[in-house]
Amino acid sequence: MTNQLVIDAHHHVWTADYPWLASKPEFGPIRRDYGVADLRANLKAAGVDRTVLVEAGWGHPSETVEFLHLAGATEEIAGVVGFIDLLDPNLANTLARYQNHPRARFLKGVRDQVQGRPEPGFLARPEVVQALTTVAQHVPTFDLVVRVDQLQAAAEAAAAVPDLTFVLDHLGKPQVRDGDAGLRAWRDAVAPLAKRPNAVAKLSGLVTEADWAHWKPADLRPFVQAALELFGPDRLMFGSDWPVCELAATYGQVKDALTEVLGRPDPDILGGTAAKVYQLGEQ
């Protein structure tokens, strides 16, 4: 890792009034404001240099506009993944609004909260594929926040829009708490996406798919090892999913668990892949 920045490819900031934080009682511990000062304290303690700030489910372009301002004022934030609605009839205008922002250079990709859409095949719908084609004309990446049952459609979308890089958040949310059964179901579902050359994945969000109170690094190991076999380290990146991770672990515990599972610091996973995929040197 000599002379290479350590990059967290997935984190958030938010205020306590984000609606989804009030949707379930179990989100109570993270229903508070998380800002740049909180972020910096965690990065310093964990030895992380730069980050990618990801939309946090506010559900409106105003969040992305605010995040672009924040990235321009915060050295640690090297890029932003903004919000879009793939069914927005004004999608092209929303993307143009982002690109006309004075700090548009920090916009490295977008995502839709697909995990909240009920149908497994949403991403393969013709109008959605057309929307993703529009996305590809404006930004280099689309983050996939999807459930396991939506992974097949994600693979179909990646095949249909080869000029767009699809970034799988949280490995597609495998049911880590289900052990071998969760591993088998997820591995079968994610394999077609992993075969797509325009698909990469984040080793993020795994602790909150495990038993929050009793997880250990060994619980994550089979999923990380499978991801290494399917994607390879040059298509994987570290993401903390902070502050969501605080439901199960501290920022430092998440990073330390990944390092333990990997057995050694991997330069691709801990920075190289994120820098390449999100074009973080291009600002």
Side-chain angles (χ1 to χ4, degrees), residues 137-184:
Q137 295 166 0
H138 291 81
V139 292
T141 70
F142 178 78
D143 267 39
L144 292 161
V145 54
V146 295
R147 308 182 305 267
V148 171
D149 68 321
Q150 295 172 320
L151 284 167
Q152 177 59 46
E156 294 175 29
V161 192
D163 294 336
L164 185 63
T165 296
F166 288 77
V167 182
L168 181 61
D169 294 345
H170 317 325
L171 285 185
K173 308 191 77 171
Q175 295 297 296
V176 176
R177 62 181 63 85
D178 291 343
D180 288 344
L183 176 65
R184 288 193 299 271

Side-chain angles (χ1 to χ4, degrees), residues 97-163:
R97 177 186 178 189
Y98 295 160
Q99 290 191 312
N100 288 331
H101 192 284
R103 290 171 172 167
R105 65 190 182 277
F106 290 100
L107 184 68
K108 303 302 182 180
V110 293
R111 78 171 184 174
D112 183 333
Q113 287 283 332
V114 175
Q115 64 180 347
R117 299 189 183 273
E119 64 265 50
F122 174 79
L123 285 164
R125 288 166 54 175
E127 68 272 30
V128 173
V129 170
Q130 183 56 52
L132 289 166
T133 301
T134 299
V135 169
Q137 295 166 0
H138 291 81
V139 292
T141 70
F142 178 78
D143 267 39
L144 292 161
V145 54
V146 295
R147 308 182 305 267
V148 171
D149 68 321
Q150 295 172 320
L151 284 167
Q152 177 59 46
E156 294 175 29
V161 192
D163 294 336

Side-chain angles (χ1 to χ4, degrees), residues 9-257:
H10 195 107
H11 77 90
H12 311 283
V13 295
W14 63 57
T15 55
D17 58 351
Y18 273 52
W20 67 269
L21 287 169
S23 66
K24 296 181 180 180
E26 55 263 39
F27 293 155
I30 58 172
R31 191 181 179 189
R32 68 172 182 85
D33 293 357
Y34 286 90
V36 169
D38 303 291
L39 174 67
R40 282 177 168 155
N42 281 287
L43 298 182
K44 183 176 181 180
V48 175
D49 302 296
R50 296 290 184 272
T51 71
V52 177
L53 173 60
V54 179
E55 67 89 23
W58 184 252
H60 193 276
S62 61
E63 180 195 52
T64 299
V65 171
E66 179 183 347
F67 283 180
L68 292 173
H69 280 296
L70 188 62
T74 308
E75 181 182 5
E76 293 86 352
I77 299 174
V80 170
V81 173
F83 165 79
I84 60 162
D85 177 352
L86 286 168
L87 298 181
D88 178 6
N90 297 310
L91 175 60
N93 291 336
T94 298
L95 290 165
R97 177 186 178 189
Y98 295 160
Q99 290 191 312
N100 288 331
H101 192 284
R103 290 171 172 167
R105 65 190 182 277
F106 290 100
L107 184 68
K108 303 302 182 180
V110 293
R111 78 171 184 174
D112 183 333
Q113 287 283 332
V114 175
Q115 64 180 347
R117 299 189 183 273
E119 64 265 50
F122 174 79
L123 285 164
R125 288 166 54 175
E127 68 272 30
V128 173
V129 170
Q130 183 56 52
L132 289 166
T133 301
T134 299
V135 169
Q137 295 166 0
H138 291 81
V139 292
T141 70
F142 178 78
D143 267 39
L144 292 161
V145 54
V146 295
R147 308 182 305 267
V148 171
D149 68 321
Q150 295 172 320
L151 284 167
Q152 177 59 46
E156 294 175 29
V161 192
D163 294 336
L164 185 63
T165 296
F166 288 77
V167 182
L168 181 61
D169 294 345
H170 317 325
L171 285 185
K173 308 191 77 171
Q175 295 297 296
V176 176
R177 62 181 63 85
D178 291 343
D180 288 344
L183 176 65
R184 288 193 299 271
W186 163 77
R187 182 172 181 136
D188 288 345
V190 79
L193 179 64
K195 291 178 181 177
R196 301 304 313 170
N198 58 326
V200 300
K202 294 178 184 178
L203 296 169
S204 62
L206 297 179
V207 295
T208 47
E209 298 301 329
D211 182 324
W212 293 358
H214 303 105
W215 74 274
K216 52 190 181 298
D219 299 331
L220 314 182
R221 182 171 285 111
F223 297 87
V224 174
Q225 289 176 337
L228 283 165
E229 294 170 14
L230 291 167
F231 288 93
D234 61 334
R235 290 198 293 144
L236 291 173
M237 58 187 93
F238 156 66
S240 67
D241 197 27
W242 176 90
V244 180
C245 69
E246 290 194 350
L247 292 168
T250 66
Y251 190 109
Q253 286 172 332
V254 169
K255 182 169 178 284
D256 289 347

